[in-house]
Amino acid sequence: MTDWVLLGLIAALVVLLLLTVFGFVVYSGLFTEVVVSAGSPPVGNMTLAYKFRVGPYGESGQLFTDGCSISSKLCSIGVYYDNPHTVSPEKCRFAIGRILSEGDAKPSEEQIKRFQKYGFKIFSFPAPSHVVMATFPFTTPLSIHLAVNRVHPALDTYIKERKLCAHPRIEIYKQDRIYFVCPLARQGDFYVPEMKELERKSRAAAAVAEDAQTDITGVDTMSETSSISVEATTDSRDTSVATSILLPLPGSRGREEADTRSEHSYSESGASGSSFEELDLEAAGDGEGAPGLLPDAGSQEVTDKWTKEPIAAERGEE
C-alpha cells in the first residue's frame, strides 16, 4: 500500500512539473500570434553605443552581455545586415549595442565616455519613414528563442509576397516587447560606418574585376573584328581599323547599372519595385504593441516609391 502511495505522489509531481514547464513556455509566447504590418515605425531617431562584428549571429550574445554590464537600464538593439539563409555564418555582419537616447533627448557625456571606454562606438539612426514591423512578447529568456524562430520567417514571407526591399533587420528590446523593424526606404542611413566601409570596398573590388573583364572582352572583340575587316577590304587598312574601334564593347554599361546593395544583403529577399500604395498599412491601437508606441497610420502621408542569439545578460541562463 505504501508503495502505491509513493508511486502516486511521484506521478503527481511529474504531472505538476510538466504542467509548470508547459505554462512557462506558453507565458513566453509559444501561442502568440505574429502579426506583420507595414506603416509608421514604433521608434524615432536614436543614438546608440554599438560594437560591429563579422561572424556567426550566435556570437551576438556576448556583445549584448557587454552592453548590459555597462548599463542594465538602457534598451538593447541589434542590427543584422545579412541573410543567414544565403550567407555563410563567418561572413554575416551585425552591430549590437544599447540605445543611449531617443527622439529629441541627447545622451549624456558620462554615458558616452563610459561606453567608449569599453570599446563601443557612438552612432545615430534617423527616424525611419516607413517600415515592415512585428512585435513579440519579451517575458522570459525563452521569449528570445521563440521570437527568432517565429517572427523572422513571418517577415520573410510578408516581404517576399509583396516583393518589397526591406532591410536591414533591426531588433529593439524595450520593456516587455521585442520590436522587429525593417526600413523600406533610406536603408543606408542604418548602416554603421564599418558596414559602409565594407560595402565601399566590395563595390570597388567588383568594379576592378568588371574593368578587367571588360578589357579582356574588348581586346578579343577588336582582334576578331580586325581580322574580318582585313579579309573583306584589303585595299583600305585604315577603314578596317576604324571600323573595329567603333564597334560596341560588351559590358560597357555594367558600372553605371551596378546595384549599390551588397549581394549578401537582406534586400535580396524582395524586389524594390513595389510602392507603399500596395502595402496594407495598418492603423495602430490594435493592442499588439505597447500603448503609445505605434502612431496612427491613417494620418500619415503615403509616398510612392535576416538567426540571432541576443541579450545573453538579460536572458540569464542562455
Side-chain angles (χ1 to χ4, degrees):
M1 186 67 178
T2 304
D3 293 339
W4 285 105
V5 172
L6 182 59
L7 289 175
L9 289 175
I10 294 176
L13 289 175
V14 170
V15 171
L16 183 60
L17 178 61
L18 293 176
L19 289 175
T20 302
V21 172
F22 179 75
F24 177 80
V25 175
V26 172
Y27 178 68
S28 299
L30 177 64
F31 298 122
T32 299
E33 181 183 5
V34 177
V35 178
V36 181
S37 62
S40 296
V43 294
N45 56 296
M46 65 184 77
T47 299
L48 59 144
Y50 73 94
K51 286 184 178 181
F52 180 80
R53 290 289 185 273
V54 179
Y57 284 157
E59 296 180 356
S60 63
Q62 182 58 50
L63 300 184
F64 278 106
T65 301
D66 293 345
C68 292
S69 64
I70 299 174
S71 179
S72 60
K73 296 181 180 180
L74 299 175
C75 299
S76 294
I77 183 171
V79 187
Y80 304 89
Y81 297 103
D82 296 305
N83 189 336
H85 299 297
T86 58
V87 180
S88 57
E90 63 272 10
K91 294 183 179 180
C92 288
R93 300 162 293 183
F94 56 97
I96 306 297
R98 308 285 279 180
I99 300 175
L100 301 181
S101 64
E102 293 185 59
D104 297 331
K106 301 294 183 182
S108 67
E109 289 296 326
E110 181 183 356
Q111 276 184 328
I112 293 177
K113 291 180 180 180
R114 188 188 310 145
F115 277 93
Q116 289 177 333
K117 177 181 178 181
Y118 292 96
F120 285 79
K121 296 184 178 180
I122 310 301
F123 193 68
S124 295
F125 286 165
S129 56
H130 291 80
V131 299
V132 173
M133 59 188 174
T135 65
F136 199 84
F138 185 28
T139 54
T140 71
L142 182 61
S143 299
I144 299 171
H145 293 285
L146 293 175
V148 166
N149 290 296
R150 296 189 59 200
V151 177
H152 284 290
L155 289 171
D156 290 337
T157 300
Y158 186 95
I159 293 171
K160 183 177 181 180
E161 287 178 350
R162 291 158 178 79
K163 299 180 180 180
L164 301 174
C165 177
H167 68 99
R169 296 285 171 91
I170 302 176
E171 298 178 1
I172 300 174
Y173 297 78
K174 197 170 188 179
Q175 297 176 356
D176 61 346
R177 308 293 294 182
I178 306 175
Y179 297 88
F180 296 80
V181 179
C182 308
L184 284 166
R186 299 176 60 187
Q187 288 94 344
D189 291 345
F190 303 92
Y191 280 35
V192 296
E194 293 88 344
M195 183 63 186
K196 291 180 179 179
E197 180 65 16
L198 288 178
E199 289 288 277
R200 185 191 66 79
K201 290 180 179 180
S202 177
R203 290 194 297 268
V208 171
E210 183 182 339
D211 285 343
Q213 182 63 33
T214 300
D215 292 341
I216 295 174
T217 306
V219 169
D220 292 342
T221 303
M222 292 177 66
S223 299
E224 294 175 2
T225 307
S226 298
S227 300
I228 296 173
S229 300
V230 169
E231 294 177 2
T233 56
T234 57
D235 61 328
S236 180
R237 182 176 180 180
D238 294 339
T239 303
S240 66
V241 174
T243 302
S244 65
I245 294 176
L246 290 175
L247 288 176
L249 298 180
S252 61
R253 298 172 55 198
R255 185 178 300 178
E256 296 175 1
E257 297 178 352
D259 192 345
T260 59
R261 296 190 301 270
S262 167
E263 63 178 354
H264 305 302
S265 169
Y266 264 116
S267 60
E268 286 191 344
S269 61
S272 59
S274 298
S275 68
F276 291 126
E277 292 180 348
E278 298 173 5
L279 301 176
D280 52 340
L281 303 180
E282 300 180 6
D286 55 2
E288 289 298 323
L293 281 174
L294 297 178
D296 185 4
S299 62
Q300 67 187 21
E301 179 181 357
V302 180
T303 59
D304 289 337
K305 22 176 299 203
W306 151 335
T307 307
K308 282 78 54 188
E309 296 267 338
I311 314 189
E314 296 182 9
R315 61 192 177 183
E317 294 77 15
E318 287 185 48

